[in-house]
Amino acid sequence: MSSTLKKYSKIILPILLGVFLMWFSLQQVSFHELLGYFKNANYTWVGLGVLFGILSHLSRAYRWKYLLEPLGYRVDFWNSVMSVFSGYLINYTIPRAGEVARASLLTTYEEVEFEKVFGTIVAERMADLLMMVVVISMTLFIQFDFISSFFMGKFQSQNLGIGLFLLLLAFGAFAFLVFKSSSKWAIKIKHFVNGLVQGVLSITRMENKWAFMGHTVFIWVMYILMFYVVTFAVDELRGVTLGMALLGFISASFSIAATNAGIGAYPLAVFAAFSLYGLAKAPSLAFGWITWASQTFMLVLLGGLSLILLPIYNRLKNN
């Protein structure tokens, strides 16, 4: 019974959290005001953001072949594309189920083994995690003056230095304990870190590693651009710089893990980042909703079409 409850709680709790966050977001800005931002938005910029999103997903589908080919698999590009879009759609229903569905769909329509295909998706996530670290590092570099002055304003410089020293000391002690410990939780952490390192190293040993890395960089440039260009769609946010947008992008990216594809959490995460710069609440939340809604519409539309077209395309292809 407990395992069943745990299983369903992983599905239900993110949905309930998303509904609550949607309600909470609408308490911060009225629905009528939010609708006004949607009506007055410049949809040329919104459309450009959607185009960048589509390009990133197409590149992801193409990049997949560089992980599949060493396993002896040469899959149809359009099967790869439709599996990717279908996976994104399914993520809106059950968190992280999209990755499993994506591997299952490719296994259904191509002569590939599920376990091996799923392994390539895990390797992809390792590359994406590395890129997220790069984006965060780049943001810290670009916004160093703002971030340092922000924290200096919150804490006295002496206290901040002591705090950072204690934080590093605590992290070092924790890492040492994990390294020495043989408990279950320590083994899990070491296994995760080892898997992350091995995943990154496997990319460097790949035959087409430069093409793979090129697509990985392209995907993340598209991610950032699809977020940044939409700021031009809201008049009050036209002064947002790339550095400010990067902080908003990072915050929004983490929100996607909190609920199903960021439902409810995405606009609040954007507002939380933009509020650090003193940007107004209403346009920040509206921007978050417009960005999330436009990308969601694209993924639901193309994901739904992909689920419908996959069997038809393969039936025609095999006849």
Side-chain angles (χ1 to χ4, degrees):
M1 179 64 73
S2 59
S3 61
T4 304
L5 182 63
K6 185 178 179 181
K7 176 183 175 182
Y8 284 105
S9 66
K10 288 181 179 180
I11 300 172
I12 296 169
L13 289 179
I15 294 173
L16 292 176
L17 178 60
V19 171
F20 169 75
L21 291 175
M22 288 177 71
W23 171 83
F24 182 76
S25 175
L26 292 174
Q27 300 306 302
Q28 309 305 306
V29 55
S30 69
F31 181 77
H32 178 75
E33 189 176 6
L34 185 63
L35 190 62
Y37 279 104
F38 268 85
K39 287 180 179 178
N40 297 322
N42 186 329
Y43 281 92
T44 299
W45 293 109
V46 176
L48 188 59
V50 170
L51 175 61
F52 288 145
I54 293 172
L55 289 174
S56 74
H57 303 321
L58 291 175
S59 181
R60 180 175 293 278
Y62 192 83
R63 183 185 68 170
W64 202 5
K65 79 170 190 170
Y66 296 119
L67 292 168
L68 291 167
E69 284 178 353
L71 302 175
Y73 301 140
R74 290 188 176 274
V75 302
D76 184 279
F77 173 65
W78 290 110
N79 277 337
S80 178
V81 169
M82 288 187 279
S83 296
V84 166
F85 278 115
S86 299
Y88 278 119
L89 173 62
I90 292 167
N91 270 338
Y92 282 89
T93 57
I94 303 173
R96 316 322 304 171
E99 282 78 0
V100 177
R102 178 178 156 194
S104 298
L105 286 167
L106 200 69
T107 303
T108 301
Y109 296 106
E110 298 279 350
E111 295 181 2
V112 297
E113 295 179 45
F114 173 83
E115 291 78 9
K116 291 183 178 179
V117 171
F118 188 73
T120 63
I121 296 174
V122 173
E124 268 192 10
R125 294 307 178 197
M126 295 295 185
D128 290 330
L129 181 58
L130 181 63
M131 281 304 302
M132 175 57 86
V133 172
V134 170
V135 171
I136 291 171
S137 302
M138 184 172 66
T139 304
L140 289 173
F141 177 77
I142 294 173
Q143 295 292 91
F144 179 79
D145 289 340
F146 170 78
I147 294 171
S148 60
S149 62
F150 174 80
F151 282 106
M152 287 295 184
K154 295 293 182 182
F155 310 100
Q156 292 182 1
S157 58
Q158 185 178 2
N159 292 340
L160 181 62
I162 294 171
L164 288 173
F165 174 74
L166 291 174
L167 184 64
L168 287 172
L169 190 64
F171 178 77
F174 177 75
F176 179 77
L177 288 173
V178 169
F179 179 75
K180 289 292 185 181
S181 177
S182 57
S183 62
K184 287 184 178 180
W185 63 269
I187 291 171
K188 285 183 178 180
I189 293 173
K190 285 187 280 190
H191 180 72
F192 172 78
V193 173
N194 183 60
L196 181 62
V197 172
Q198 291 301 317
V200 172
L201 290 177
S202 68
I203 294 170
T204 64
R205 293 192 294 265
M206 194 183 301
E207 184 180 350
N208 295 299
K209 60 178 177 290
W210 294 116
F212 179 88
M213 291 177 184
H215 274 279
T216 301
V217 172
F218 177 81
I219 289 166
W220 280 81
V221 169
M222 291 299 102
Y223 281 171
I224 293 168
L225 286 177
M226 77 183 189
F227 183 91
Y228 178 52
V229 297
V230 182
T231 61
F232 296 103
V234 180
D235 287 337
E236 291 90 333
L237 299 181
R238 284 184 174 269
V240 169
T241 64
L242 178 59
M244 295 162 69
L246 280 171
L247 200 60
F249 169 78
I250 292 168
S251 180
S253 297
F254 282 120
S255 75
I256 293 172
T259 60
N260 296 22
I263 296 173
Y266 194 99
L268 289 169
V270 171
F271 165 63
F274 282 179
S275 65
L276 298 177
Y277 297 96
L279 296 176
K281 181 189 294 184
S284 297
L285 284 168
F287 163 79
W289 276 111
I290 291 168
T291 305
W292 181 84
S294 60
Q295 294 297 325
T296 296
F297 175 78
M298 177 265 288
L299 290 173
V300 169
L301 176 63
L302 296 182
L305 284 173
S306 294
L307 285 173
I308 294 168
L309 293 176
L310 263 169
I312 298 171
Y313 172 75
N314 283 278
R315 195 181 305 121
L316 293 173
K317 187 181 73 167
N318 295 325
N319 285 342

